[in-house]
Amino acid sequence: MSEVLTLADDGVLIITINRPEAKNAVNRAVAEGVAAAMEELDANDALRVGIIKGAGGTFCSGMDLKAFLTGELPMVKGKGFAGFVESPPKKPLIAAVDGYALAGGMEVAITCDLLVANSKAQFGIPETKRGLAAAAGGLMRLPRQIPPRIAMELALTGDFISAQRGYEIGFVNRVVETPAIDGALELAHKISANGPLAVRVSKQVIVESRGWSDAEMWAKQQEIVGPVMTSQDAREGAAAFAQKRAPNWTGK
């Protein structure tokens, strides 16, 4: 049985962590499988958006502690935990969270650009309860996505929070009553209907501009966005609007 499954669906690559018997805990095989899937997402021009989810009604319970005790590390060199938290894909990635997203599982979820959760989903970084620290991005990414004092509380107490609370404080985009994949696919198809070059550079600017100073931000944005404004897709988008038809994107 493969620990990671992939399925292409109308421009969307669905990546499934497939270890339901272990609550989709991440071991080395999962990290390698996810890394390969992320490479496919960026390399394949037919794919516009990625979704990552877990099998069996749970998103991911974090690092496989049994494997950790044997010395196995659930990471890929240069890509980090789960094969991508240190090097996310250039294309948009959505987390579809059912059940629990805990410890490394929450860190996988908040590495994604967007997050859709079932209303019964639970989130947490309880590493301190096990004498560990949330070193796969939780301590750095979470304070950028939610108020720092709330991130501090979650990190120090290890308490869980609900999907609704996650939505209220800003790291969950949508809460749905159906399986999270339904809401994630709806969001993914809205994105994939847009110009692929425009989507990619929009993500790039939002991610990279966090480190730009006021003095350099306009020039740096122009370097990235400028080629899109003169692309074939830009002309196609304008023509499609004028002709009241759907655009035919080429990614050029």
Side-chain angles (χ1 to χ4, degrees):
M1 180 180 71
S2 177
E3 283 85 353
V4 176
L5 305 175
T6 58
L7 174 67
D9 174 22
D10 192 21
V12 179
L13 183 66
I14 302 171
I15 304 161
T16 303
I17 302 174
N18 188 38
R19 299 188 73 213
E21 75 291 346
K23 302 297 183 185
N24 298 318
V26 179
N27 59 9
R28 175 73 182 189
V30 168
E32 291 175 346
V34 171
M38 296 300 174
E39 289 176 359
E40 170 65 11
L41 173 62
D42 273 343
N44 189 337
D45 290 341
L47 299 172
R48 305 285 181 83
V49 184
I51 295 175
I52 187 166
K53 68 182 189 72
T58 284
F59 182 71
C60 176
S61 59
M63 177 174 65
D64 187 327
L65 292 178
K66 292 180 181 179
F68 173 72
L69 289 173
T70 68
E72 179 181 310
L73 296 179
M75 56 186 62
V76 173
K77 185 177 182 181
K79 297 180 181 295
F81 177 76
F84 83 106
V85 300
E86 293 180 20
S87 182
K90 293 181 174 62
K91 294 177 183 176
L93 183 64
I94 303 171
V97 179
D98 296 296
Y100 292 99
L102 302 177
M106 182 169 182
E107 291 170 306
V108 165
I110 64 173
T111 299
C112 298
D113 304 296
L114 300 167
L115 197 163
V116 176
N118 176 267
S119 61
K120 293 182 173 60
Q122 295 280 311
F123 298 85
I125 45 173
E127 280 88 344
T128 52
K129 293 180 181 291
R130 301 290 179 265
L132 301 169
L139 302 179
M140 298 180 289
R141 284 195 170 100
L142 204 54
R144 297 177 182 177
Q145 298 182 19
I146 66 175
R149 288 188 182 273
I150 297 177
M152 184 72 77
E153 180 181 346
L154 291 175
L156 300 187
T157 66
D159 287 347
F160 296 179
I161 60 171
S162 67
Q164 182 60 36
R165 179 60 172 153
Y167 176 78
E168 290 167 356
I169 61 178
F171 76 85
V172 173
N173 290 87
R174 297 184 181 184
V175 178
V176 296
E177 297 301 324
T178 59
I181 187 63
D182 295 343
L185 279 169
E186 179 184 358
L187 193 55
H189 288 139
K190 284 187 175 184
I191 295 168
S192 66
N194 297 331
L197 288 177
V199 166
R200 181 177 58 78
V201 301
S202 293
K203 170 179 173 171
Q204 184 180 354
V205 170
I206 288 173
V207 170
E208 294 184 7
S209 63
R210 295 169 186 155
W212 297 348
S213 69
D214 289 349
E216 66 185 354
M217 64 182 186
W218 293 106
K220 284 186 172 293
Q221 177 180 255
Q222 181 59 27
E223 289 176 10
I224 297 170
V225 172
V228 176
M229 308 303 283
T230 58
S231 67
Q232 293 180 27
D233 274 358
R235 295 183 60 83
E236 169 61 13
F241 177 80
Q243 297 165 16
K244 298 181 179 180
R245 60 172 175 81
N248 179 27
W249 308 119
T250 62
K252 299 178 181 178

